[in-house]
Amino acid sequence: MKAIISAISHFVPPNIIPNSWFEDKLETSDEWIRTRTGIVERRFLESGATSDLLVPCIQEILEKKSLKPEDIDAIIVATITPDNVFPACAATVQKKLGMSKAWGFDLSAACSGFLYGLEIGAALVQSSAYKRVLVCGADMMSSILNPEDRSTYVLFGDGGGAVLLEPSDDDEYGILDSRLYMDGRGGSNLYMIAGGSAKPTTVETAANKEHYVVQDGQSVFKAAVIGMAEVAAEIMERNNLKSDDIAWLVPHQANLRIIDATRKRMGLDPEKVMINIDKYGNTTAGTIPIALSELYHHKKIKKGDRLVLASFGAGYTWGAIYIRWAID
Ligand code: UT7
């Protein structure tokens, strides 16, 4: 038995922030942002929280599948920007939608959160203990960005997506393989200084602006170029996949140059790479479900297509998942 993605949806807030918006606030330019990252615009949620990015996605999935909220067995929310430190964003989403029979939890793996979530969600389904598991990836990055730091403020956006995992007796389809990694030695290259138990929130930590994303861009870039490319190549080799076999690479959207290095390592043509960083920037755990959902809703994936999802992010965490698409 395998776990298949039986429904998918995404949501991005309507408020579009073009690169030019930053030009009179920071020493930056549309040209710098486009050429260094590939980002043209991103979305910022004007009011609400991360759970509000997921509620519309899950509502759409329930409607599409003619399911009631209580038909969901479990919900996993990958995020680094939960509505509250606790309770879990998963519990907030569960409450908002009345998914009274679902248990669940948040998963903190930054940009790789959705892939980690797929691995766990698929295992729950394959255990036969749970039939309908929602795996979500969403971040409201605007809530943790320093508006005075040009090296991070321009990179991120808000958005999220969700998939429904269900069992299938056909072993040829669904989530077929995964390789997931972590290396905590990269932790201090992309993190938040305060607000955790190591450095609890005080008046000083707030005054020192220690509750924002801090990134050593070049170090993360170098690790990402190698990490994402190598894990994507590894999943191809393990499954005897040639570049012609793969319909789409759906990569984490942090930087066009990182995506391109991965594509080249896989020997893929550029038209087989899903790219939407230009529209949404880096939505952290949201990038892969949003990209996959857009591909599906634009009718660019068909049943039987072989997809590789790949990510690299804070932790460091990285990985790749091989999926054979199961729905029309
Ligand atoms: O999704 C989670 C994982 N994160 C990533 O994968 C991100 C990985 N890193 C990157 O994508 C890139 O390192 C960045 C896009 C963050 C930065 O690009 P870069 O080519 O590595 O630039 P840099 O950090 O080497 O900075 C080059 C210059 C610096 O100025 P000097 O020292 O050369 O005078 C920066 O201060 O660009 C400057 N700079 C900016 N200039 C204009 C940094 N941010 C900006 C900005 N506008 N927004």
Side-chain angles (χ1 to χ4, degrees):
M1 190 225 288
K2 295 283 181 209
I4 59 160
I5 292 175
S6 64
I8 181 164
S9 176
H10 71 281
F11 176 80
V12 287
N15 181 29
I16 298 174
I17 309 289
N19 288 345
S20 57
W21 185 82
F22 297 93
E23 285 177 342
D24 55 353
K25 298 177 177 59
L26 295 166
E27 217 176 293
T28 189
S29 65
D30 174 47
E31 205 260 332
W32 190 96
I33 302 168
R34 272 176 205 254
T35 52
R36 299 282 175 141
T37 68
I39 299 166
V40 176
E41 58 192 36
R42 76 288 290 136
R43 311 291 181 100
F44 284 168
L45 190 63
E46 282 178 298
S47 67
T50 298
S51 64
D52 298 307
L53 299 169
L54 290 175
V55 165
C57 302
I58 297 170
Q59 276 170 334
E60 191 185 311
I61 287 176
L62 294 176
E63 223 164 89
K64 180 87 195 290
K65 298 286 293 178
S66 303
L67 292 172
K68 295 191 278 306
E70 56 270 29
D71 293 330
I72 300 300
D73 297 319
I75 171 167
I76 300 169
V77 175
T79 187
I80 54 164
T81 53
D83 296 26
N84 302 86
V85 174
F86 72 93
C89 189
T92 305
V93 173
Q94 188 249 23
K95 174 190 71 177
K96 286 186 174 178
L97 287 165
M99 297 187 290
S100 54
K101 303 231 169 72
W103 66 283
F105 56 91
D106 288 2
L107 191 163
S108 175
C111 307
S112 301
F114 182 73
L115 296 195
Y116 279 31
L118 273 186
E119 172 85 342
I120 297 166
L124 292 179
V125 168
Q126 283 184 291
S127 76
S128 301
Y130 306 100
K131 280 201 160 51
R132 297 192 188 97
V133 177
L134 285 168
V135 177
C136 314
D139 272 299
M140 183 179 168
M141 293 304 291
S142 62
S143 66
I144 56 167
L145 294 175
N146 181 351
E148 294 168 6
D149 179 6
R150 68 176 182 174
S151 72
T152 52
Y153 197 27
V154 303
L155 301 178
F156 296 91
D158 302 339
V163 297
L164 180 65
L165 299 183
E166 292 189 274
S168 159
D169 287 332
D170 190 341
D171 282 355
E172 300 281 303
Y173 292 91
I175 294 156
L176 298 184
D177 194 23
S178 67
R179 295 302 293 154
L180 301 175
Y181 292 99
M182 182 161 73
D183 184 352
R185 290 173 298 178
S188 58
N189 290 331
L190 179 50
Y191 78 126
M192 186 184 287
I193 297 167
S197 55
K199 195 167 192 188
T201 307
T202 61
V203 172
E204 283 74 33
T205 62
N208 292 337
K209 303 186 169 127
E210 293 176 343
H211 298 270
Y212 293 126
V213 172
V214 174
Q215 175 170 246
D216 173 350
Q218 279 196 14
S219 298
V220 179
F221 184 90
K222 281 181 203 146
V225 161
I226 296 167
M228 203 158 99
E230 286 309 314
V231 76
E234 185 188 354
I235 206 119
M236 286 176 74
E237 277 154 31
R238 273 166 61 94
N239 293 282
N240 295 317
L241 292 170
K242 304 282 166 266
S243 49
D244 284 349
D245 300 325
I246 296 169
W248 288 99
L249 164 66
V250 184
H252 172 53
Q253 314 275 318
N255 190 312
L256 264 190
R257 292 176 286 152
I258 299 170
I259 294 172
D260 210 44
T262 305
R263 173 189 76 75
K264 285 187 177 137
R265 179 74 177 81
M266 295 171 78
L268 286 188
D269 294 335
E271 55 275 12
K272 287 186 171 183
V273 185
M274 175 52 182
I275 288 169
N276 60 11
I277 190 174
D278 50 324
K279 293 191 292 180
Y280 308 130
N282 182 348
T283 55
T284 303
T287 62
I288 293 178
I290 293 171
L292 194 56
S293 177
E294 282 203 326
L295 269 184
Y296 176 68
H297 287 99
H298 294 163
K299 303 203 183 312
K300 289 183 177 165
I301 329 181
K302 55 182 188 317
K303 189 174 176 185
D305 277 353
R306 296 172 201 279
L307 315 176
V308 172
L309 320 183
S311 69
F312 189 95
Y316 296 139
T317 56
W318 70 104
I321 288 193
Y322 166 38
I323 291 179
R324 187 142 184 244
W325 198 249
I327 52 173
D328 288 315

